Amino acid sequence: MSLSSEAPATLPRFTPAERWTHRILGLLLGILIVTAALLFIPDLGGLVGNRQIVRVIHEIAGFAVLIPLVVAAFFRAFREDAGRLNRFRPSDWEWLRSRDRRSGRIRVGKFNAGQKLNAAFTLGAIIVMLLTGSMMFFSSHFSDSLRTGATFVHDWLALAFVVVVCGHIYMAFNDSTARLGMRRGTVPVAWAQREHRAWADEQLGVQPEPIAPADPLLTGDGGDPFE
Amino acid sequence: MAPKELDVGTPVGRRIVLGMVGLGAVGVLAGRWLSQGVSEVVASTAPGLASVIPAAGGFRIYTVTSGYPETDLASYRLSVTGRVGKQLSLSMADLAALPQTSMTKDFQCVTGWRVQDVPWSGVKLSDVLAAAEVESGATALSFTSFDGAYTESLTMDQGTRPDVLVATAMYGKPIEVKHGAPVRLIVAPMYGYKSIKWLSGIDVTNTVVPGYWEDRGYDVDAWVGKSNGRIDEPVV
């Protein structure tokens, strides 16, 4: 690395609060997926039996998912990253469309568009699963038709959720530095400059070179003045 | 410094979340018809899928003990005791020697799922009872499962209906362990919990003793669509 001596070798990526939120949420979602598989897939459930106990574990873990999310909302770093994940800029659409999205040509912020989609889907899925799961839990307050509907949504969204979680784990599996960011909280500058150029520049106080695109208005691409 | 990246761009994340909540609400409202549609499509295109993914219209398997009870066909016996003229201990061969009946019925669970058109075969419960020469005054039936926990009950009038079967085959094959092998009861017009799995004993009595699920709040007379506060279409 050709960094000057005072330049940091690593950048802070996730605060302890964010990392613990990720860990606890991951653990709870893992428990939910395993217990769901036992409740849902006949041949797996038969290996363990004790359906009532598995069901109670699933219900407790399900409602407990609220806890890390609510607690995390008290931390500014979490709210800021949530804001970054929420906003799509033109470069995000270009990133999704392009074939060379990993080349570094497109200046990616702290999160790439795939991470943003994953975060939005995960939050949406958690909310819908919590609501439909609550309808199944408090089933006596709902008509048969709504209960059947809630079960229908809960079952099929669960399958989609598992697919997306597997994708998330697969992506993490292929990038040990990204995992380091979530485990230790910091990432090497070189990695940040390769994968999240706009964010790395922002953190290092580097003025991006003005390859300003045609649209000067908040394109967020290339020469985004805010980064 | 709060990075300005936060304020720039369109809030696509929020739209996705709200869109999913909206879709979820539509799914809850229309799920009754959607799930039926999915079951029908799966049944006509990929019938194997339902046994892997219950949401595609298959059975959800409940067992009240840990794992499935196993038994071997050679030592299996179905006992018929109580107010009978002739106590029976029926082997699989004995059951096969009784008059055989087949019927195809929907299987409706009290939790909402329904599997359409399940073909069952076996011996009508009334034929088993006739073979045991039930006393004329007997009014109730108690059933036990060799899983050691599951029990069920019927009145004599319910138990002698033609759509109540001591089933030994399902979909033309011997019943699988998870479905109650080798012998289970099928009370077609009632919710699934009445159709006790891993059946090992029939006791003829004069009192209906509430079974495992009835002890846990479900109705003793479990007619589909007319009990447990549900409005499902009756199984005919």
Side-chain angles (χ1 to χ4, degrees), chain B residues 189-225:
Chain B
M190 293 196 179
Y191 286 107
Y193 63 89
K194 298 297 282 191
S195 296
I196 186 171
K197 300 201 276 192
W198 308 293
L199 179 66
S200 61
I202 301 171
D203 194 31
V204 182
T205 66
N206 275 346
T207 30
V208 171
V209 180
Y212 181 89
W213 291 107
E214 287 101 279
D215 284 342
R216 283 154 184 79
Y218 292 99
D219 288 352
V220 178
D221 292 322
W223 304 106
V224 172

PDB file of all heavy atoms in Angstrom, chain B residues 189-225:
ATOM      1  N   PRO B 189     -65.580 -36.720   8.234  1.00  0.00           N
ATOM      2  CA  PRO B 189     -66.375 -35.487   8.380  1.00  0.00           C
ATOM      3  C   PRO B 189     -65.913 -34.595   9.527  1.00  0.00           C
ATOM      4  O   PRO B 189     -66.522 -33.547   9.750  1.00  0.00           O
ATOM      5  CB  PRO B 189     -67.779 -36.028   8.654  1.00  0.00           C
ATOM      6  CG  PRO B 189     -67.557 -37.342   9.310  1.00  0.00           C
ATOM      7  CD  PRO B 189     -66.310 -37.905   8.695  1.00  0.00           C
ATOM      8  N   MET B 190     -64.870 -35.004  10.254  1.00  0.00           N
ATOM      9  CA  MET B 190     -64.438 -34.193  11.398  1.00  0.00           C
ATOM     10  C   MET B 190     -63.020 -33.667  11.168  1.00  0.00           C
ATOM     11  O   MET B 190     -62.295 -34.141  10.310  1.00  0.00           O
ATOM     12  CB  MET B 190     -64.481 -35.024  12.684  1.00  0.00           C
ATOM     13  CG  MET B 190     -65.886 -35.414  13.099  1.00  0.00           C
ATOM     14  SD  MET B 190     -65.922 -35.967  14.799  1.00  0.00           S
ATOM     15  CE  MET B 190     -67.672 -36.313  14.995  1.00  0.00           C
ATOM     16  N   TYR B 191     -62.657 -32.666  11.977  1.00  0.00           N
ATOM     17  CA  TYR B 191     -61.313 -32.104  11.883  1.00  0.00           C
ATOM     18  C   TYR B 191     -60.262 -33.180  12.149  1.00  0.00           C
ATOM     19  O   TYR B 191     -60.507 -34.150  12.882  1.00  0.00           O
ATOM     20  CB  TYR B 191     -61.162 -30.929  12.854  1.00  0.00           C
ATOM     21  CG  TYR B 191     -61.893 -29.709  12.356  1.00  0.00           C
ATOM     22  CD1 TYR B 191     -63.071 -29.287  12.956  1.00  0.00           C
ATOM     23  CD2 TYR B 191     -61.431 -29.012  11.254  1.00  0.00           C
ATOM     24  CE1 TYR B 191     -63.763 -28.184  12.476  1.00  0.00           C
ATOM     25  CE2 TYR B 191     -62.114 -27.917  10.758  1.00  0.00           C
ATOM     26  CZ  TYR B 191     -63.276 -27.503  11.371  1.00  0.00           C
ATOM     27  OH  TYR B 191     -63.960 -26.420  10.870  1.00  0.00           O
ATOM     28  N   GLY B 192     -59.093 -32.960  11.559  1.00  0.00           N
ATOM     29  CA  GLY B 192     -58.049 -33.970  11.513  1.00  0.00           C
ATOM     30  C   GLY B 192     -57.637 -34.544  12.850  1.00  0.00           C
ATOM     31  O   GLY B 192     -57.216 -35.705  12.923  1.00  0.00           O
ATOM     32  N   TYR B 193     -57.763 -33.759  13.924  1.00  0.00           N
ATOM     33  CA  TYR B 193     -57.276 -34.286  15.203  1.00  0.00           C
ATOM     34  C   TYR B 193     -58.090 -35.476  15.699  1.00  0.00           C
ATOM     35  O   TYR B 193     -57.625 -36.226  16.554  1.00  0.00           O
ATOM     36  CB  TYR B 193     -57.200 -33.183  16.278  1.00  0.00           C
ATOM     37  CG  TYR B 193     -58.508 -32.534  16.680  1.00  0.00           C
ATOM     38  CD1 TYR B 193     -59.284 -33.061  17.701  1.00  0.00           C
ATOM     39  CD2 TYR B 193     -58.954 -31.375  16.054  1.00  0.00           C
ATOM     40  CE1 TYR B 193     -60.468 -32.453  18.085  1.00  0.00           C
ATOM     41  CE2 TYR B 193     -60.127 -30.757  16.429  1.00  0.00           C
ATOM     42  CZ  TYR B 193     -60.884 -31.298  17.447  1.00  0.00           C
ATOM     43  OH  TYR B 193     -62.054 -30.695  17.821  1.00  0.00           O
ATOM     44  N   LYS B 194     -59.313 -35.665  15.139  1.00  0.00           N
ATOM     45  CA  LYS B 194     -60.097 -36.837  15.528  1.00  0.00           C
ATOM     46  C   LYS B 194     -59.551 -38.111  14.880  1.00  0.00           C
ATOM     47  O   LYS B 194     -59.824 -39.215  15.333  1.00  0.00           O
ATOM     48  CB  LYS B 194     -61.564 -36.665  15.116  1.00  0.00           C
ATOM     49  CG  LYS B 194     -62.281 -35.509  15.758  1.00  0.00           C
ATOM     50  CD  LYS B 194     -62.398 -35.624  17.258  1.00  0.00           C
ATOM     51  CE  LYS B 194     -63.495 -36.575  17.702  1.00  0.00           C
ATOM     52  NZ  LYS B 194     -63.733 -36.439  19.172  1.00  0.00           N
ATOM     53  N   SER B 195     -58.795 -37.944  13.795  1.00  0.00           N
ATOM     54  CA  SER B 195     -58.297 -39.094  13.035  1.00  0.00           C
ATOM     55  C   SER B 195     -56.980 -39.563  13.646  1.00  0.00           C
ATOM     56  O   SER B 195     -55.903 -39.316  13.110  1.00  0.00           O
ATOM     57  CB  SER B 195     -58.122 -38.715  11.559  1.00  0.00           C
ATOM     58  OG  SER B 195     -59.367 -38.391  10.991  1.00  0.00           O
ATOM     59  N   ILE B 196     -57.092 -40.227  14.758  1.00  0.00           N
ATOM     60  CA  ILE B 196     -55.924 -40.593  15.561  1.00  0.00           C
ATOM     61  C   ILE B 196     -54.944 -41.436  14.745  1.00  0.00           C
ATOM     62  O   ILE B 196     -55.338 -42.325  13.970  1.00  0.00           O
ATOM     63  CB  ILE B 196     -56.374 -41.323  16.852  1.00  0.00           C
ATOM     64  CG1 ILE B 196     -55.203 -41.589  17.792  1.00  0.00           C
ATOM     65  CG2 ILE B 196     -57.106 -42.616  16.523  1.00  0.00           C
ATOM     66  CD1 ILE B 196     -55.637 -42.103  19.161  1.00  0.00           C
ATOM     67  N   LYS B 197     -53.664 -41.111  14.903  1.00  0.00           N
ATOM     68  CA  LYS B 197     -52.606 -41.827  14.183  1.00  0.00           C
ATOM     69  C   LYS B 197     -52.026 -42.932  15.067  1.00  0.00           C
ATOM     70  O   LYS B 197     -52.178 -42.908  16.277  1.00  0.00           O
ATOM     71  CB  LYS B 197     -51.502 -40.848  13.773  1.00  0.00           C
ATOM     72  CG  LYS B 197     -52.016 -39.729  12.859  1.00  0.00           C
ATOM     73  CD  LYS B 197     -50.911 -39.080  12.056  1.00  0.00           C
ATOM     74  CE  LYS B 197     -50.210 -37.999  12.823  1.00  0.00           C
ATOM     75  NZ  LYS B 197     -49.340 -37.180  11.927  1.00  0.00           N
ATOM     76  N   TRP B 198     -51.325 -43.872  14.430  1.00  0.00           N
ATOM     77  CA  TRP B 198     -50.653 -44.969  15.139  1.00  0.00           C
ATOM     78  C   TRP B 198     -51.650 -45.699  16.054  1.00  0.00           C
ATOM     79  O   TRP B 198     -51.386 -45.963  17.231  1.00  0.00           O
ATOM     80  CB  TRP B 198     -49.450 -44.436  15.937  1.00  0.00           C
ATOM     81  CG  TRP B 198     -48.530 -43.617  15.084  1.00  0.00           C
ATOM     82  CD1 TRP B 198     -47.775 -44.075  14.052  1.00  0.00           C
ATOM     83  CD2 TRP B 198     -48.282 -42.208  15.160  1.00  0.00           C
ATOM     84  NE1 TRP B 198     -47.069 -43.038  13.486  1.00  0.00           N
ATOM     85  CE2 TRP B 198     -47.359 -41.886  14.151  1.00  0.00           C
ATOM     86  CE3 TRP B 198     -48.746 -41.193  15.995  1.00  0.00           C
ATOM     87  CZ2 TRP B 198     -46.906 -40.587  13.940  1.00  0.00           C
ATOM     88  CZ3 TRP B 198     -48.296 -39.900  15.785  1.00  0.00           C
ATOM     89  CH2 TRP B 198     -47.379 -39.611  14.771  1.00  0.00           C
ATOM     90  N   LEU B 199     -52.822 -45.985  15.490  1.00  0.00           N
ATOM     91  CA  LEU B 199     -53.917 -46.576  16.268  1.00  0.00           C
ATOM     92  C   LEU B 199     -53.537 -47.960  16.781  1.00  0.00           C
ATOM     93  O   LEU B 199     -53.043 -48.804  16.028  1.00  0.00           O
ATOM     94  CB  LEU B 199     -55.155 -46.678  15.364  1.00  0.00           C
ATOM     95  CG  LEU B 199     -56.414 -47.295  15.965  1.00  0.00           C
ATOM     96  CD1 LEU B 199     -56.958 -46.419  17.080  1.00  0.00           C
ATOM     97  CD2 LEU B 199     -57.465 -47.470  14.883  1.00  0.00           C
ATOM     98  N   SER B 200     -53.769 -48.175  18.090  1.00  0.00           N
ATOM     99  CA  SER B 200     -53.462 -49.505  18.633  1.00  0.00           C
ATOM    100  C   SER B 200     -54.608 -50.102  19.426  1.00  0.00           C
ATOM    101  O   SER B 200     -54.622 -51.299  19.664  1.00  0.00           O
ATOM    102  CB  SER B 200     -52.206 -49.449  19.510  1.00  0.00           C
ATOM    103  OG  SER B 200     -52.410 -48.578  20.600  1.00  0.00           O
ATOM    104  N   GLY B 201     -55.547 -49.275  19.854  1.00  0.00           N
ATOM    105  CA  GLY B 201     -56.616 -49.848  20.667  1.00  0.00           C
ATOM    106  C   GLY B 201     -57.949 -49.161  20.472  1.00  0.00           C
ATOM    107  O   GLY B 201     -58.015 -47.944  20.311  1.00  0.00           O
ATOM    108  N   ILE B 202     -59.007 -49.975  20.456  1.00  0.00           N
ATOM    109  CA  ILE B 202     -60.375 -49.447  20.413  1.00  0.00           C
ATOM    110  C   ILE B 202     -61.096 -50.040  21.612  1.00  0.00           C
ATOM    111  O   ILE B 202     -61.160 -51.267  21.767  1.00  0.00           O
ATOM    112  CB  ILE B 202     -61.103 -49.871  19.115  1.00  0.00           C
ATOM    113  CG1 ILE B 202     -60.329 -49.367  17.884  1.00  0.00           C
ATOM    114  CG2 ILE B 202     -62.536 -49.344  19.118  1.00  0.00           C
ATOM    115  CD1 ILE B 202     -60.868 -49.926  16.563  1.00  0.00           C
ATOM    116  N   ASP B 203     -61.591 -49.186  22.489  1.00  0.00           N
ATOM    117  CA  ASP B 203     -62.289 -49.649  23.681  1.00  0.00           C
ATOM    118  C   ASP B 203     -63.750 -49.229  23.566  1.00  0.00           C
ATOM    119  O   ASP B 203     -64.041 -48.039  23.381  1.00  0.00           O
ATOM    120  CB  ASP B 203     -61.639 -49.038  24.934  1.00  0.00           C
ATOM    121  CG  ASP B 203     -62.092 -49.743  26.200  1.00  0.00           C
ATOM    122  OD1 ASP B 203     -62.379 -50.970  26.133  1.00  0.00           O
ATOM    123  OD2 ASP B 203     -62.159 -49.070  27.246  1.00  0.00           O
ATOM    124  N   VAL B 204     -64.648 -50.192  23.647  1.00  0.00           N
ATOM    125  CA  VAL B 204     -66.076 -49.906  23.524  1.00  0.00           C
ATOM    126  C   VAL B 204     -66.629 -49.651  24.917  1.00  0.00           C
ATOM    127  O   VAL B 204     -66.488 -50.491  25.810  1.00  0.00           O
ATOM    128  CB  VAL B 204     -66.811 -51.082  22.844  1.00  0.00           C
ATOM    129  CG1 VAL B 204     -68.286 -50.765  22.686  1.00  0.00           C
ATOM    130  CG2 VAL B 204     -66.172 -51.390  21.495  1.00  0.00           C
ATOM    131  N   THR B 205     -67.231 -48.476  25.133  1.00  0.00           N
ATOM    132  CA  THR B 205     -67.661 -48.073  26.471  1.00  0.00           C
ATOM    133  C   THR B 205     -69.034 -47.425  26.411  1.00  0.00           C
ATOM    134  O   THR B 205     -69.709 -47.464  25.381  1.00  0.00           O
ATOM    135  CB  THR B 205     -66.679 -47.041  27.075  1.00  0.00           C
ATOM    136  OG1 THR B 205     -66.753 -45.854  26.296  1.00  0.00           O
ATOM    137  CG2 THR B 205     -65.259 -47.545  27.086  1.00  0.00           C
ATOM    138  N   ASN B 206     -69.395 -46.798  27.524  1.00  0.00           N
ATOM    139  CA  ASN B 206     -70.642 -46.035  27.552  1.00  0.00           C
ATOM    140  C   ASN B 206     -70.436 -44.552  27.778  1.00  0.00           C
ATOM    141  O   ASN B 206     -71.394 -43.811  27.859  1.00  0.00           O
ATOM    142  CB  ASN B 206     -71.563 -46.586  28.653  1.00  0.00           C
ATOM    143  CG  ASN B 206     -72.370 -47.763  28.128  1.00  0.00           C
ATOM    144  OD1 ASN B 206     -72.426 -47.993  26.926  1.00  0.00           O
ATOM    145  ND2 ASN B 206     -72.983 -48.506  29.030  1.00  0.00           N
ATOM    146  N   THR B 207     -69.183 -44.122  27.916  1.00  0.00           N
ATOM    147  CA  THR B 207     -68.942 -42.694  28.131  1.00  0.00           C
ATOM    148  C   THR B 207     -67.870 -42.196  27.157  1.00  0.00           C
ATOM    149  O   THR B 207     -66.843 -42.849  26.968  1.00  0.00           O
ATOM    150  CB  THR B 207     -68.421 -42.396  29.551  1.00  0.00           C
ATOM    151  OG1 THR B 207     -67.672 -43.534  29.993  1.00  0.00           O
ATOM    152  CG2 THR B 207     -69.517 -42.051  30.508  1.00  0.00           C
ATOM    153  N   VAL B 208     -68.143 -41.026  26.592  1.00  0.00           N
ATOM    154  CA  VAL B 208     -67.157 -40.379  25.723  1.00  0.00           C
ATOM    155  C   VAL B 208     -66.120 -39.700  26.615  1.00  0.00           C
ATOM    156  O   VAL B 208     -66.443 -38.801  27.388  1.00  0.00           O
ATOM    157  CB  VAL B 208     -67.833 -39.348  24.804  1.00  0.00           C
ATOM    158  CG1 VAL B 208     -66.784 -38.517  24.069  1.00  0.00           C
ATOM    159  CG2 VAL B 208     -68.743 -40.046  23.812  1.00  0.00           C
ATOM    160  N   VAL B 209     -64.886 -40.169  26.527  1.00  0.00           N
ATOM    161  CA  VAL B 209     -63.800 -39.556  27.300  1.00  0.00           C
ATOM    162  C   VAL B 209     -63.050 -38.606  26.368  1.00  0.00           C
ATOM    163  O   VAL B 209     -62.524 -39.041  25.347  1.00  0.00           O
ATOM    164  CB  VAL B 209     -62.830 -40.635  27.829  1.00  0.00           C
ATOM    165  CG1 VAL B 209     -61.708 -39.982  28.642  1.00  0.00           C
ATOM    166  CG2 VAL B 209     -63.583 -41.655  28.651  1.00  0.00           C
ATOM    167  N   PRO B 210     -63.024 -37.308  26.682  1.00  0.00           N
ATOM    168  CA  PRO B 210     -62.317 -36.372  25.791  1.00  0.00           C
ATOM    169  C   PRO B 210     -60.873 -36.805  25.566  1.00  0.00           C
ATOM    170  O   PRO B 210     -60.197 -37.249  26.483  1.00  0.00           O
ATOM    171  CB  PRO B 210     -62.384 -35.036  26.547  1.00  0.00           C
ATOM    172  CG  PRO B 210     -63.584 -35.168  27.420  1.00  0.00           C
ATOM    173  CD  PRO B 210     -63.635 -36.614  27.815  1.00  0.00           C
ATOM    174  N   GLY B 211     -60.406 -36.662  24.319  1.00  0.00           N
ATOM    175  CA  GLY B 211     -59.071 -37.123  23.964  1.00  0.00           C
ATOM    176  C   GLY B 211     -58.008 -36.065  24.170  1.00  0.00           C
ATOM    177  O   GLY B 211     -58.250 -35.000  24.755  1.00  0.00           O
ATOM    178  N   TYR B 212     -56.816 -36.365  23.639  1.00  0.00           N
ATOM    179  CA  TYR B 212     -55.634 -35.516  23.850  1.00  0.00           C
ATOM    180  C   TYR B 212     -55.900 -34.061  23.475  1.00  0.00           C
ATOM    181  O   TYR B 212     -55.642 -33.142  24.245  1.00  0.00           O
ATOM    182  CB  TYR B 212     -54.477 -36.081  23.015  1.00  0.00           C
ATOM    183  CG  TYR B 212     -53.184 -35.314  23.155  1.00  0.00           C
ATOM    184  CD1 TYR B 212     -52.272 -35.634  24.149  1.00  0.00           C
ATOM    185  CD2 TYR B 212     -52.881 -34.265  22.288  1.00  0.00           C
ATOM    186  CE1 TYR B 212     -51.089 -34.924  24.284  1.00  0.00           C
ATOM    187  CE2 TYR B 212     -51.705 -33.556  22.419  1.00  0.00           C
ATOM    188  CZ  TYR B 212     -50.808 -33.881  23.409  1.00  0.00           C
ATOM    189  OH  TYR B 212     -49.657 -33.170  23.545  1.00  0.00           O
ATOM    190  N   TRP B 213     -56.404 -33.837  22.261  1.00  0.00           N
ATOM    191  CA  TRP B 213     -56.592 -32.451  21.803  1.00  0.00           C
ATOM    192  C   TRP B 213     -57.794 -31.806  22.459  1.00  0.00           C
ATOM    193  O   TRP B 213     -57.807 -30.584  22.677  1.00  0.00           O
ATOM    194  CB  TRP B 213     -56.702 -32.402  20.278  1.00  0.00           C
ATOM    195  CG  TRP B 213     -55.395 -32.747  19.636  1.00  0.00           C
ATOM    196  CD1 TRP B 213     -55.075 -33.901  18.987  1.00  0.00           C
ATOM    197  CD2 TRP B 213     -54.211 -31.945  19.625  1.00  0.00           C
ATOM    198  NE1 TRP B 213     -53.760 -33.861  18.584  1.00  0.00           N
ATOM    199  CE2 TRP B 213     -53.204 -32.680  18.956  1.00  0.00           C
ATOM    200  CE3 TRP B 213     -53.898 -30.683  20.118  1.00  0.00           C
ATOM    201  CZ2 TRP B 213     -51.914 -32.194  18.770  1.00  0.00           C
ATOM    202  CZ3 TRP B 213     -52.614 -30.190  19.932  1.00  0.00           C
ATOM    203  CH2 TRP B 213     -51.635 -30.947  19.258  1.00  0.00           C
ATOM    204  N   GLU B 214     -58.825 -32.620  22.803  1.00  0.00           N
ATOM    205  CA  GLU B 214     -59.982 -32.054  23.486  1.00  0.00           C
ATOM    206  C   GLU B 214     -59.586 -31.560  24.875  1.00  0.00           C
ATOM    207  O   GLU B 214     -60.116 -30.564  25.356  1.00  0.00           O
ATOM    208  CB  GLU B 214     -61.095 -33.099  23.595  1.00  0.00           C
ATOM    209  CG  GLU B 214     -61.797 -33.371  22.264  1.00  0.00           C
ATOM    210  CD  GLU B 214     -61.329 -34.648  21.604  1.00  0.00           C
ATOM    211  OE1 GLU B 214     -60.255 -34.591  20.955  1.00  0.00           O
ATOM    212  OE2 GLU B 214     -61.997 -35.680  21.728  1.00  0.00           O
ATOM    213  N   ASP B 215     -58.644 -32.270  25.514  1.00  0.00           N
ATOM    214  CA  ASP B 215     -58.130 -31.797  26.805  1.00  0.00           C
ATOM    215  C   ASP B 215     -57.441 -30.450  26.644  1.00  0.00           C
ATOM    216  O   ASP B 215     -57.237 -29.720  27.618  1.00  0.00           O
ATOM    217  CB  ASP B 215     -57.116 -32.797  27.385  1.00  0.00           C
ATOM    218  CG  ASP B 215     -57.820 -34.008  27.969  1.00  0.00           C
ATOM    219  OD1 ASP B 215     -59.035 -33.915  28.231  1.00  0.00           O
ATOM    220  OD2 ASP B 215     -57.148 -35.046  28.160  1.00  0.00           O
ATOM    221  N   ARG B 216     -57.017 -30.148  25.419  1.00  0.00           N
ATOM    222  CA  ARG B 216     -56.315 -28.886  25.159  1.00  0.00           C
ATOM    223  C   ARG B 216     -57.221 -27.867  24.489  1.00  0.00           C
ATOM    224  O   ARG B 216     -56.747 -26.965  23.792  1.00  0.00           O
ATOM    225  CB  ARG B 216     -55.062 -29.170  24.324  1.00  0.00           C
ATOM    226  CG  ARG B 216     -53.961 -29.759  25.199  1.00  0.00           C
ATOM    227  CD  ARG B 216     -52.986 -30.612  24.435  1.00  0.00           C
ATOM    228  NE  ARG B 216     -52.025 -31.210  25.359  1.00  0.00           N
ATOM    229  CZ  ARG B 216     -52.274 -32.268  26.127  1.00  0.00           C
ATOM    230  NH1 ARG B 216     -53.461 -32.850  26.085  1.00  0.00           N
ATOM    231  NH2 ARG B 216     -51.358 -32.734  26.950  1.00  0.00           N
ATOM    232  N   GLY B 217     -58.502 -28.025  24.663  1.00  0.00           N
ATOM    233  CA  GLY B 217     -59.418 -26.961  24.287  1.00  0.00           C
ATOM    234  C   GLY B 217     -60.213 -27.153  23.009  1.00  0.00           C
ATOM    235  O   GLY B 217     -61.056 -26.324  22.688  1.00  0.00           O
ATOM    236  N   TYR B 218     -59.937 -28.222  22.257  1.00  0.00           N
ATOM    237  CA  TYR B 218     -60.690 -28.411  21.020  1.00  0.00           C
ATOM    238  C   TYR B 218     -62.003 -29.152  21.289  1.00  0.00           C
ATOM    239  O   TYR B 218     -62.133 -29.867  22.278  1.00  0.00           O
ATOM    240  CB  TYR B 218     -59.842 -29.173  19.995  1.00  0.00           C
ATOM    241  CG  TYR B 218     -58.658 -28.359  19.506  1.00  0.00           C
ATOM    242  CD1 TYR B 218     -57.382 -28.560  20.034  1.00  0.00           C
ATOM    243  CD2 TYR B 218     -58.832 -27.378  18.543  1.00  0.00           C
ATOM    244  CE1 TYR B 218     -56.309 -27.803  19.602  1.00  0.00           C
ATOM    245  CE2 TYR B 218     -57.762 -26.612  18.107  1.00  0.00           C
ATOM    246  CZ  TYR B 218     -56.496 -26.833  18.633  1.00  0.00           C
ATOM    247  OH  TYR B 218     -55.440 -26.077  18.207  1.00  0.00           O
ATOM    248  N   ASP B 219     -62.958 -28.952  20.394  1.00  0.00           N
ATOM    249  CA  ASP B 219     -64.287 -29.525  20.586  1.00  0.00           C
ATOM    250  C   ASP B 219     -64.271 -31.052  20.478  1.00  0.00           C
ATOM    251  O   ASP B 219     -63.534 -31.617  19.673  1.00  0.00           O
ATOM    252  CB  ASP B 219     -65.258 -28.968  19.532  1.00  0.00           C
ATOM    253  CG  ASP B 219     -65.603 -27.507  19.801  1.00  0.00           C
ATOM    254  OD1 ASP B 219     -65.214 -27.004  20.876  1.00  0.00           O
ATOM    255  OD2 ASP B 219     -66.241 -26.889  18.939  1.00  0.00           O
ATOM    256  N   VAL B 220     -65.128 -31.696  21.294  1.00  0.00           N
ATOM    257  CA  VAL B 220     -65.229 -33.157  21.249  1.00  0.00           C
ATOM    258  C   VAL B 220     -65.968 -33.587  19.978  1.00  0.00           C
ATOM    259  O   VAL B 220     -65.555 -34.515  19.288  1.00  0.00           O
ATOM    260  CB  VAL B 220     -65.941 -33.682  22.515  1.00  0.00           C
ATOM    261  CG1 VAL B 220     -66.094 -35.194  22.448  1.00  0.00           C
ATOM    262  CG2 VAL B 220     -65.158 -33.279  23.767  1.00  0.00           C
ATOM    263  N   ASP B 221     -67.062 -32.884  19.675  1.00  0.00           N
ATOM    264  CA  ASP B 221     -67.786 -33.157  18.426  1.00  0.00           C
ATOM    265  C   ASP B 221     -67.212 -32.217  17.373  1.00  0.00           C
ATOM    266  O   ASP B 221     -67.583 -31.047  17.291  1.00  0.00           O
ATOM    267  CB  ASP B 221     -69.283 -32.907  18.605  1.00  0.00           C
ATOM    268  CG  ASP B 221     -69.896 -33.930  19.548  1.00  0.00           C
ATOM    269  OD1 ASP B 221     -69.487 -35.109  19.492  1.00  0.00           O
ATOM    270  OD2 ASP B 221     -70.761 -33.545  20.355  1.00  0.00           O
ATOM    271  N   ALA B 222     -66.309 -32.752  16.561  1.00  0.00           N
ATOM    272  CA  ALA B 222     -65.437 -31.880  15.763  1.00  0.00           C
ATOM    273  C   ALA B 222     -65.848 -31.825  14.302  1.00  0.00           C
ATOM    274  O   ALA B 222     -65.031 -31.915  13.407  1.00  0.00           O
ATOM    275  CB  ALA B 222     -63.995 -32.346  15.889  1.00  0.00           C
ATOM    276  N   TRP B 223     -67.168 -31.673  14.030  1.00  0.00           N
ATOM    277  CA  TRP B 223     -67.626 -31.625  12.636  1.00  0.00           C
ATOM    278  C   TRP B 223     -66.953 -30.481  11.899  1.00  0.00           C
ATOM    279  O   TRP B 223     -66.937 -29.356  12.381  1.00  0.00           O
ATOM    280  CB  TRP B 223     -69.153 -31.438  12.581  1.00  0.00           C
ATOM    281  CG  TRP B 223     -69.908 -32.486  13.342  1.00  0.00           C
ATOM    282  CD1 TRP B 223     -70.541 -32.318  14.545  1.00  0.00           C
ATOM    283  CD2 TRP B 223     -70.097 -33.859  12.974  1.00  0.00           C
ATOM    284  NE1 TRP B 223     -71.107 -33.515  14.942  1.00  0.00           N
ATOM    285  CE2 TRP B 223     -70.860 -34.470  14.006  1.00  0.00           C
ATOM    286  CE3 TRP B 223     -69.687 -34.633  11.883  1.00  0.00           C
ATOM    287  CZ2 TRP B 223     -71.215 -35.813  13.967  1.00  0.00           C
ATOM    288  CZ3 TRP B 223     -70.050 -35.967  11.847  1.00  0.00           C
ATOM    289  CH2 TRP B 223     -70.804 -36.547  12.880  1.00  0.00           C
ATOM    290  N   VAL B 224     -66.460 -30.786  10.712  1.00  0.00           N
ATOM    291  CA  VAL B 224     -65.807 -29.740   9.910  1.00  0.00           C
ATOM    292  C   VAL B 224     -66.841 -28.667   9.553  1.00  0.00           C
ATOM    293  O   VAL B 224     -67.907 -28.969   9.015  1.00  0.00           O
ATOM    294  CB  VAL B 224     -65.196 -30.337   8.618  1.00  0.00           C
ATOM    295  CG1 VAL B 224     -64.698 -29.222   7.697  1.00  0.00           C
ATOM    296  CG2 VAL B 224     -64.063 -31.283   8.963  1.00  0.00           C
ATOM    297  N   GLY B 225     -66.520 -27.432   9.878  1.00  0.00           N
ATOM    298  CA  GLY B 225     -67.384 -26.301   9.544  1.00  0.00           C
ATOM    299  C   GLY B 225     -68.443 -26.015  10.588  1.00  0.00           C
ATOM    300  O   GLY B 225     -69.111 -24.978  10.515  1.00  0.00           O
TER     301      GLY B 225
END
